[in-house]
């Protein structure tokens, strides 16, 4: 039996931090979620997002009710480590950093001693072109007269890496660098002072005060509609930009466009103005989608659907 996925709850929001769990949710359980973290060294931070994956409340409720995931009160799962535990953790992290630095230096020394081994044919060609351009520029350059009272600094024993002006640097000399890229594992599950307590049901999580959804008729209606569409094989994403609760995809959102914009009607006797129907129809047609009105019956636990499309428009 596979272990349930841990949904780490903070401020009544469910997050997934494990990449493998995200792949399982998307490939096997039709759960999309929203990536909310930023990725380092990327300029477009509003486009390329990373961990964690934040789930809609409906997604979290569905996963817990089906036994696919459990809720974890993440803030209370971190305990204060003892001084000896913290000292061992720091020593292990420093040893790991030293090993990574040693491997990096070993790799750099191998490439420096045999640069052609680590270079592709294209890189070799570009390197040869750069060397030829430098040789031509050096040949065509006129010799400059020495400046007696130049304020520019000269190399000293305290700063041997600083070369005098006009003095060529030996390209075969590899200057020592004090900066390294060291990967530090950031998963809380590997810390000795992290002890999560799993809440296997929504009732237990509600009694523990970490999860409240669904607590109103509207929330129950959204969860019921989401579950019904999910059981029909659809993928759901947020639909607020298109005037609804969900965007309904026939398959993986990375491969398909959404076919419907779904709005949830919480009860059969809920009021729905004609202007709303017209607005939903025109907006859906303008975005090449049909608007799906999803009516929830809290007594029978049944969903009724009505699609609206603006005929003869566009």
């Amino acid at each position: 039996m596979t272990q349930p996925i841990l949904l780490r709850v903070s401020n009544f929001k469910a997050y997934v931090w494990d990449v493998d769990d995200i792949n399982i949710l998307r490939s096997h359980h039709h759960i999309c979620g929203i990536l909310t973290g930023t990725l380092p060294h990327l300029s477009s931070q509003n486009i390329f997002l990373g961990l964690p994956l934040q789930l809609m409340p409906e997604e979290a409720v569905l996963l817990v009710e089906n036994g696919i995931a459990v809720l974890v009160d993440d803030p209370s799962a971190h305990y204060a480590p003892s001084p000896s535990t913290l000292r061992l953790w720091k020593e292990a992290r420093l040893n790991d950093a030293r090993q990574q630095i040693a491997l990096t230096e070993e790799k750099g020394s191998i490439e420096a001693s045999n640069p052609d081994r680590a270079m592709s044919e294209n890189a070799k060609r570009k390197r040869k072109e750069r060397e030829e351009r430098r040789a031509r520029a050096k040949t065509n350059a006129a010799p400059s007269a020495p400046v007696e009272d130049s304020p520019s600094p000269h190399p000293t024993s305290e700063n041997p890496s600083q070369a005098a002006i006009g003095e060529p640097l030996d390209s075969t000399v590899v200057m020592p660098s004090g900066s390294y890229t060291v990967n530090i594992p950031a998963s809380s599950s590997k810390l000795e002072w992290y002890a999560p307590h799993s809440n296997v049901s929504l009732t237990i999580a509600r009694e523990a005060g970490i999860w409240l959804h669904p607590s109103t008729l509207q929330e129950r209606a959204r969860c019921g509609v989401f579950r019904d569409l999910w059981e029909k094989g659809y993928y759901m994403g947020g639909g607020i930009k298109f005037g609804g609760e969900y965007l309904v995809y026939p398959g993986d959102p990375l491969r398909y466009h959404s076919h419907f914009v779904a709005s949830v009607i919480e009860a059969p006797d809920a009021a729905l103005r004609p202007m709303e129907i017209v607005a939903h129809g025109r907006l859906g047609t303008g975005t090449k989608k049909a608007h799906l009105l999803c009516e929830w019956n809290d007594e029978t636990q049944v969903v009724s659907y009505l699609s609206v499309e603006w005929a003869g428009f566009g």
Side-chain angles (χ1 to χ4, degrees), residues 64 69-73 197-202 204-206 208 210:
V64 174
V70 293
L71 298 173
V72 173
D73 185 10
H197 175 70
S198 302
N199 297 272
V200 296
S201 69
L202 296 176
I204 297 176
R206 190 176 291 109
I210 68 169

Side-chain angles (χ1 to χ4, degrees), residues 12-286:
F12 303 105
K13 297 178 182 179
Y15 299 92
V16 182
W17 283 91
D18 194 290
V19 175
D20 294 332
D21 290 342
I22 293 176
N23 293 333
I24 292 173
L25 290 177
R26 288 188 167 176
S27 59
H28 297 290
H29 303 298
H30 303 177
I31 298 298
C32 300
I34 303 173
L35 291 170
T36 58
T38 57
L39 297 176
H41 308 301
L42 287 179
S43 56
S44 301
Q45 293 289 326
N46 59 334
I47 299 176
F48 301 102
L49 299 177
L51 296 175
L53 180 77
Q54 180 180 342
L55 299 182
M56 291 187 292
E58 298 89 330
E59 293 173 323
V61 169
L62 174 70
L63 293 173
V64 174
E65 289 181 342
N66 285 16
I68 301 171
V70 293
L71 298 173
V72 173
D73 185 10
D74 199 63
S76 64
H78 297 264
Y79 297 92
S82 63
S84 59
T85 303
L86 191 59
R87 184 173 61 255
L88 292 175
W89 173 75
K90 289 182 178 180
E91 291 176 357
R93 189 176 68 168
L94 289 175
N95 289 333
D96 183 59
R98 293 190 189 99
Q99 292 177 5
Q100 294 184 52
I101 292 174
L103 291 174
T104 303
E105 291 178 341
E106 181 181 357
K107 181 180 178 181
S109 61
I110 294 175
E111 293 179 354
S113 60
N114 189 7
D116 293 338
R117 180 181 177 184
M119 297 176 62
S120 62
E121 294 297 328
N122 189 31
K124 294 178 183 177
R125 179 179 55 80
K126 291 182 178 180
R127 181 179 179 181
K128 184 177 180 181
E129 292 176 355
R130 287 195 301 269
E131 292 176 349
E132 292 176 352
R133 286 197 299 269
R134 289 172 184 169
R136 288 196 299 268
K138 185 176 180 181
T139 304
N140 297 332
S144 57
V147 180
E148 295 294 337
D149 300 326
S150 175
S152 302
H154 295 276
T156 62
S157 58
E158 291 82 6
N159 189 15
S161 63
Q162 188 176 22
I165 297 177
E167 181 181 346
L169 292 175
D170 189 356
S171 59
T172 61
V173 176
V174 179
M175 301 302 298
S177 175
S179 61
Y180 298 91
T181 300
V182 178
N183 298 318
I184 301 176
S187 176
S188 297
S189 59
K190 297 182 179 180
L191 301 176
E192 294 186 15
W193 56 88
Y194 181 76
H197 175 70
S198 302
N199 297 272
V200 296
S201 69
L202 296 176
T203 303
I204 297 176
R206 190 176 291 109
E207 292 175 352
I210 68 169
W211 191 259
L212 303 176
H213 203 92
S215 58
T216 65
L217 176 60
Q218 177 64 22
E219 291 176 352
R220 291 197 300 272
R222 289 174 64 111
C223 288
V225 169
F226 187 92
R227 170 178 285 277
D228 193 71
L229 290 171
W230 180 82
E231 290 177 347
K232 296 180 186 300
Y234 290 103
Y235 288 71
M236 271 71 66
I240 187 65
K241 293 182 180 180
F242 295 87
E245 273 78 25
Y246 312 115
L247 287 179
V248 183
Y249 299 85
D252 190 341
L254 297 177
R255 300 178 58 191
Y256 298 92
H257 289 287
S258 58
H259 287 183
F260 302 100
V261 181
S263 292
V264 177
I265 303 173
E266 61 189 30
D269 57 352
L272 187 63
R273 296 181 301 169
M275 187 64 68
E276 294 181 61
I277 301 176
V278 173
H280 288 325
R282 295 196 66 170
L283 179 59
T285 304

